[in-house]
C-alpha cells in the first residue's frame, strides 16, 4: 500500500493531496558512482525525508505511477542495500519524542539514510567473529561519522568565519552528546566559559525490514530553539558561522545556493561512509563493538555538564563511562548518585 504521507518528487511536484489522497510518485533515482548498491534520491521540498524514506520502502522502490515498467529504476526485486533521500527544505521535520525540527528554510543538510536491517543484524555478525553488534551502538556509530564530517568541514574553512559580534573565534571542538547529537564547543577570546551548541541531530526509526536514520546538520543557518515549552532544547549553531560561502561574481548564485549544495554533498558523503562501513568492515578493527565505542569516545567531552531533559527536576549530570552495549553511566551533580541510563535524553 502506498504511504499516505504527502511528499514531493524530484521536481518539487506531487506533494499535494488529491481527492483526499497523497500522491505516491517517487523521486528520481541515481546510483552513487563509487557504490552501485547505494541509491540516491533528492527532493526540493517535502514534509520530512523520513516520510519519503518510508514511502520508498513501502513501495519497494517501484514507482507505480511511472508508465515505463521496464525501466531498471523501477524493476521489481531490484533493491539497494543502502539508500539516501535528501531534501532542500522540510515542512514537518521532527526530532526525538516528536519534537519539531525547524527546517523549512533552504541551506541545511536534511536527509534520511536507509540501511537493510540484515546488514547490521546479520552482515556485521558474519565479519565480527560470529558476535552480534548491539543495535544500541547504531546511533553512536552514526554520531561518530557525522562528527568526523563536521570536523573535516571546519578544519577546511574555520579561519574564514567570524561571528555576528566580530569576536575572534578559536577552532571549535566537535563533540558528541549521548545518544544522538553532535555539538560544537565554542570559545571566544573575550569569554572564559565555552558554549556547547547543537550542530546536528540523529533520529532512528524502522519500517518493514529497514532502519531509517534521519539526520539534520545545521550548515547554512541555525534554527531558533525555544527555551521553554514542548520543543525547548539546547541552542543551535551552524557551519556558516565559521565558514564563508564561495562567491560567484556575475551570477545569480546566492549564499543559500552555496550552503544547499554543501548540504547535498555532506548527505552523499555520509551515506557513502555508512554504506562502505557496513558492507566492507575493515578486518583490522577486530571486535566491531569495541571499535565503535573507541571511535565515539574520542569525540566525548567527559566533564561537560548535561541536563536530563525529560525529568521534572532536570537533574544535572556528567558522564563517567559508556558500557559495551551503548548504555552510559552518569554521576548526578547534586547528590553524587551513580546511574546507568538506557533511553534518557540530555539537554
Amino acid at each position: 500500500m502506498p504511504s499516505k504521507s504527502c511528499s514531493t518528487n524530484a521536481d518539487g511536484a506531487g506533494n499535494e493531496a488529491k481527492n483526499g489522497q497523497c500522491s505516491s510518485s517517487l523521486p528520481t533515482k541515481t546510483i552513487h558512482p563509487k557504490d552501485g548498491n547505494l541509491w540516491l534520491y533528492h527532493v526540493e521540498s517535502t514534509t520530512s525525508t523520513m516520510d519519503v524514506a518510508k514511502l520508498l520502502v513501502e513501495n519497494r522502490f517501484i514507482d507505480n505511477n511511472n508508465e515505463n515498467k521496464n525501466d531498471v529504476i523501477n524493476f521489481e526485486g531490484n533493491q539497494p542495500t543502502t539508500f539516501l533521500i535528501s531534501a532542500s527544505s522540510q515542512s514537518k521535520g521532527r526530532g526525538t519524542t516528536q519534537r519539531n525540527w525547524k527546517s523549512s528554510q533552504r541551506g541545511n543538510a536534511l536527509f534520511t539514510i536507509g540501511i537493510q536491517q540484515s546488514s547490521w543484524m546479520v552482515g556485521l555478525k558474519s565479519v565480527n567473529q560470529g558476535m552480534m553488534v548491539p543495535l544500541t551502538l547504531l546511533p553512536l556509530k552514526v554520531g561518530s561519522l557525522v562528527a568526523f564530517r563536521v570536523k573535516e568541514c571546519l578544519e577546511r574553512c574555520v579561519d574564514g568565519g567570524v561571528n555576528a559580534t566580530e569576536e575572534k573565534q578559536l577552532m571549535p571542538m566537535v563533540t558528541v552528546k549521548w545518544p544522538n547529537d553532535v555539538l560544537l564547543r565554542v570559545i571566544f577570546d573575550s569569554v572564559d566559559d565555552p558554549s556547547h551548541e547543537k550542530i546536528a541531530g540523529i533520529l532512528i526509526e524502522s519500517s518493514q525490514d529497514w532502519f531509517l536514520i534521519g539526520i539534520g546538520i545545521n550548515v547554512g543557518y541555525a534554527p531558533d530553539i525555544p527555551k521553554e515549552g514542548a520543543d525547548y532544547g539546547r541552542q543551535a549553531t551552524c557551519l556558516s558561522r565559521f565558514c564563508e560561502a564561495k562567491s560567484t561574481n556575475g551570477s545569480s548564485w546566492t549564499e543559500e545556493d552555496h550552503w544547499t549544495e554543501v548540504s547535498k554533498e555532506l548527505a552523499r558523503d555520509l551515506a557513502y561512509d555508512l554504506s562502505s562501513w557496513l558492507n566492507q568492515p575493515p578486518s583490522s578493527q577486530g571486535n566491531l563493538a569495541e571499535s565503535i565505542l573507541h571511535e565515539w569516545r574520542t569525540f566525548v567531552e567527559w566533564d561537560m555538564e548535561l541536563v536530563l531533559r525529560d525529568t521534572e527536576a532536570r537533574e544535572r549530570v556528567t558522564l563517567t563511562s559508556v558500557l559495551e552495549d551503548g548504555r552510559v553511566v552518569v554521576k548526578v551533580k547534586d547528590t553524587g548518585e551513580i546511574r546507568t541510563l538506557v533511553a534518557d535524553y540530555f539537554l
Side-chain angles (χ1 to χ4, degrees):
M1 288 288 293
S3 169
K4 301 303 182 186
S5 299
C6 293
S7 58
T8 62
N9 59 25
D11 299 320
N15 64 323
E16 299 297 331
K18 298 178 181 179
N19 299 320
Q21 300 293 321
C22 295
S23 168
S24 59
S25 295
L26 302 184
T28 302
K29 180 197 83 177
T30 58
I31 297 176
H32 195 285
K34 296 182 180 179
D35 185 348
N37 292 314
L38 170 57
W39 292 7
L40 310 175
Y41 301 87
H42 180 77
V43 295
E44 279 304 305
S45 63
T46 187
T47 53
S48 165
T49 60
M50 189 70 77
D51 292 340
V52 185
K54 291 179 179 179
L55 182 67
L56 287 163
V57 168
E58 290 168 7
N59 283 276
R60 302 187 68 80
F61 304 90
I62 303 167
D63 190 347
N64 293 312
N65 289 345
N66 192 311
E67 296 179 356
N68 185 7
K69 301 301 181 185
N70 295 320
D71 190 334
V72 68
I73 292 176
N74 305 302
F75 180 69
E76 187 166 9
N78 184 25
Q79 294 192 29
T81 58
T82 308
F83 71 90
L84 165 73
I85 170 66
S86 59
S88 298
S89 67
Q90 300 179 134
S91 60
K92 295 181 180 179
R94 62 184 184 275
T96 55
T97 62
Q98 297 300 310
R99 282 175 165 80
N100 178 47
W101 181 279
K102 296 181 179 179
S103 49
S104 59
Q105 180 179 337
R106 295 174 73 248
N108 283 350
L110 313 166
F111 57 102
T112 294
I113 301 171
I115 63 171
Q116 292 184 358
Q117 292 181 1
S118 60
S119 66
W120 187 278
M121 308 302 290
V122 179
L124 292 183
K125 182 179 179 180
S126 68
V127 295
N128 192 41
Q129 304 169 2
M131 295 183 294
M132 290 281 292
V133 178
L135 183 58
T136 45
L137 296 184
L138 176 57
L140 305 191
K141 177 60 186 179
V142 176
S144 296
L145 291 175
V146 173
F148 175 83
R149 285 293 182 178
V150 169
K151 182 180 179 182
E152 183 181 60
C153 289
L154 288 169
E155 288 174 343
R156 287 201 301 259
C157 66
V158 71
D159 291 335
V162 292
N163 75 333
T165 59
E166 300 296 328
E167 290 180 289
K168 182 180 179 182
Q169 297 170 113
L170 304 178
M171 173 68 181
M173 173 182 175
V174 181
T175 70
V176 289
K177 178 168 69 69
W178 184 90
N180 59 351
D181 286 343
V182 178
L183 311 178
L184 293 189
R185 180 179 184 267
V186 183
I187 301 175
F188 297 98
D189 280 353
S190 61
V191 180
D192 293 331
D193 295 330
S195 65
H196 295 85
E197 299 173 342
K198 182 173 177 177
I199 195 165
I202 300 160
L203 174 68
I204 300 178
E205 297 183 358
S206 63
S207 180
Q208 299 185 17
D209 53 355
W210 291 82
F211 293 127
L212 304 178
I213 305 161
I215 301 173
I217 305 175
N218 299 332
V219 177
Y221 68 95
D224 293 329
I225 307 298
K227 296 183 179 180
E228 296 293 338
D231 294 325
Y232 89 95
R234 182 178 293 272
Q235 295 306 293
T237 190
C238 58
L239 285 174
S240 66
R241 181 179 177 185
F242 308 93
C243 305
E244 292 182 341
K246 293 180 180 178
S247 61
T248 53
N249 296 330
S251 75
S252 60
W253 189 257
T254 66
E255 285 194 15
E256 185 180 80
D257 293 328
H258 170 80
W259 297 123
T260 298
E261 288 304 309
V262 171
S263 296
K264 289 180 183 179
E265 183 179 351
L266 260 177
R268 289 192 296 266
D269 287 344
L270 280 161
Y272 179 72
D273 291 343
L274 183 56
S275 179
S276 299
W277 183 83
L278 285 170
N279 293 299
Q280 301 178 37
S283 58
S284 60
Q285 286 191 357
N287 186 303
L288 290 178
E290 291 180 359
S291 174
I292 292 171
L293 290 170
H294 174 76
E295 183 181 38
W296 187 80
R297 288 186 184 110
T298 63
F299 289 104
V300 175
E301 187 176 356
W302 294 99
D303 58 353
M304 182 176 71
E305 190 174 276
L306 301 166
V307 177
L308 284 170
R309 189 177 69 186
D310 297 320
T311 60
E312 185 175 350
R314 295 189 184 178
E315 295 168 295
R316 297 180 180 276
V317 301
T318 53
L319 297 186
T320 63
S321 64
V322 56
L323 304 180
E324 61 184 11
D325 60 0
R327 293 177 298 159
V328 289
V329 179
V330 301
K331 181 178 181 179
V332 181
K333 180 179 180 181
D334 292 338
T335 66
E337 177 188 358
I338 302 296
R339 295 183 195 167
T340 300
L341 304 182
V342 179
D344 302 81
Y345 290 100
F346 297 125
L347 178 64

